[in-house]
Amino acid sequence: MSQQLPDPRRVAVASLGGTITMTSDRSDGRGVVPSLSAADLLSSVPGIAHVEVESTTLATVPGASLELTDLLGVLRWARDAVDAGADGVVVVQGTDTIEESAYLLDLYWDRSAPLVVTGAMRAAQAPGADGPANLSASVVTAASAGARDRGVLVVLADQVHAAARVRKTRSSGPDVFRSPSFGPLGYVDEGGVTFGGPPSRPAPLTGDLPTGPLLVPLLETFLGDDGRLLRVVDDAGCDGVVLAGFGVGHLSRGLADVVEEVATRRPVVVATRTGAGTTYTSTYGFPGSESDLIGRGAVLAGWLDPRKARILLGCLLGAGSDRSTVADEFRRRGARGAGA
Ligand code: ASP
């Protein structure tokens, strides 16, 4: 008796551009620019058993030039693909902005199917180009049942990262994406993906992505920061501001005074500038400490790094959220045990 094979998995791939799509017509291979389509990229990847892949090219731009409207388009395309039967979707883009775009998509991704974001550090014609391997690992992840209910995942160098945690930690080299506080969620090996634990993520935001333009500056504090720069930003007008503070969320006494004033007009979020770890809430008590800043009206970002905090604040303000909603969402998404 012939055995019935299960239906093949279906994965939809969309490209926005980035180094993975970049080529050069110069003999020295320099001066690369985005040029390849999603179909071109897939032609460099060997077929993956039992996975049917379809492709579409949404944009052909470097990561630095991606706009909110591109991400709105991605979200629409990804939801349509899943609603039409795809088991998972892959978005290919420039690595320069993956840590921001992936988190923004994650905040709104309201399907069980995985949305995987990938790219490459080496251009398509470079020796050792990492694009084909990253794309292949991403398709494997998107097709995997174990990747469901994990929101948006970032897959490069055979590692699977949570969009809320991943950072580009080095400017060049093939293996630079890390989740510094908790490590990757899983690994791609031998054509499959293994996760270290069960899915856990806060519920997505309801409503649509903000269409902007929102002004949410990210300012990093520095030795000798007396708050003058924050005052300039406040005077210029903005919707809210994120400060990348020292250590567990500390600022100078002078800057703390300005925060107190600015926080009466717009939300001020304080994250850590250290690159990993959380802000505290109640350990230190000096002027400019985390507990003092909370008392002065600032919101502490918890485990969200400054860039993720800026994305979250922008999305909340774009949806017209009030002060208490902003504080609640930062508590929910930045807290211990918030999942990824
Ligand atoms: N500058 C490139 C980009 O973001 C870097 C990359 O894709 O790796 O488009």
Side-chain angles (χ1 to χ4, degrees):
M1 209 169 68
S2 72
Q3 229 184 344
Q4 185 91 32
L5 280 174
D7 288 340
R9 309 287 289 174
R10 284 176 54 194
V11 172
V13 175
S15 176
L16 294 168
T19 293
I20 190 169
T21 68
M22 294 194 198
T23 60
S24 161
D25 50 18
R26 282 167 45 172
S27 59
D28 63 3
R30 291 179 185 274
V32 294
V33 292
S35 63
L36 301 179
S37 65
D40 295 331
L41 295 178
L42 282 165
S43 68
S44 67
V45 175
I48 295 162
H50 219 61
V51 181
E52 281 174 4
V53 183
E54 62 190 66
S55 68
T56 182
T57 302
L58 296 175
T60 314
V61 295
S65 294
L66 280 174
E67 292 176 10
L68 213 49
T69 49
D70 294 310
L71 298 176
L72 268 171
V74 168
L75 196 64
R76 224 175 292 125
W77 164 82
R79 283 175 174 158
D80 288 349
V82 167
D83 295 348
D87 295 290
V89 294
V90 176
V91 178
V92 174
Q93 69 154 89
T95 62
D96 286 348
T97 47
I98 279 184
E99 54 195 295
E100 289 163 79
S101 61
Y103 185 52
L104 189 133
L105 292 170
D106 187 51
L107 285 173
Y108 294 95
W109 186 238
D110 50 5
R111 304 292 193 271
S112 279
L115 191 167
V116 178
V117 186
T118 192
M121 294 297 290
R122 293 182 179 140
Q125 298 152 323
D130 50 332
N134 288 342
L135 185 50
S136 175
S138 297
V139 170
V140 164
T141 306
S144 147
R148 293 180 74 78
D149 297 314
R150 294 180 188 270
V152 175
L153 301 168
V154 173
V155 174
L156 288 106
D158 289 341
Q159 298 184 359
V160 184
H161 297 272
R165 302 286 182 236
V166 71
R167 301 189 67 150
K168 186 176 185 178
T169 60
R170 196 173 186 278
S171 59
S172 65
D175 181 13
V176 304
F177 280 82
R178 296 274 180 273
S179 299
S181 296
F182 300 101
L185 294 179
Y187 295 91
V188 180
D189 280 303
E190 292 193 312
V193 56
T194 308
F195 289 93
S200 152
R201 79 184 276 243
L205 295 174
T206 50
D208 289 330
L209 254 85
T211 44
L214 275 178
L215 217 49
V216 181
L218 166 56
L219 299 180
E220 180 170 306
T221 196
F222 48 88
L223 184 68
D225 188 354
D226 60 6
R228 261 180 293 173
L229 202 56
L230 177 58
R231 209 180 278 289
V232 168
V233 166
D234 183 52
D235 289 346
C238 60
D239 298 290
V241 59
V242 175
L243 299 173
F246 300 118
V248 291
H250 293 168
L251 305 175
S252 71
R253 177 196 293 264
L255 178 53
D257 289 341
V258 182
V259 165
E260 184 170 355
E261 230 182 85
V262 174
T264 61
R265 289 185 277 279
R266 47 189 122 258
V268 179
V269 173
V270 180
T272 175
R273 67 173 203 167
T274 59
T278 184
T279 53
Y280 280 0
T281 56
S282 56
T283 297
Y284 294 88
F286 57 82
S289 67
E290 77 288 352
S291 68
D292 175 59
L293 294 172
I294 292 169
R296 294 178 192 246
V299 172
L300 275 286
W303 292 94
L304 291 173
D305 71 45
R307 290 172 203 153
K308 312 283 187 203
R310 203 197 72 83
I311 294 286
L312 177 57
L313 183 58
C315 290
L316 295 172
L317 295 177
S321 302
D322 59 17
R323 290 302 184 98
S324 74
T325 307
V326 168
D328 284 351
E329 288 293 347
F330 270 90
R331 251 193 307 276
R332 179 169 305 126
R333 293 168 198 283
R336 264 189 213 111

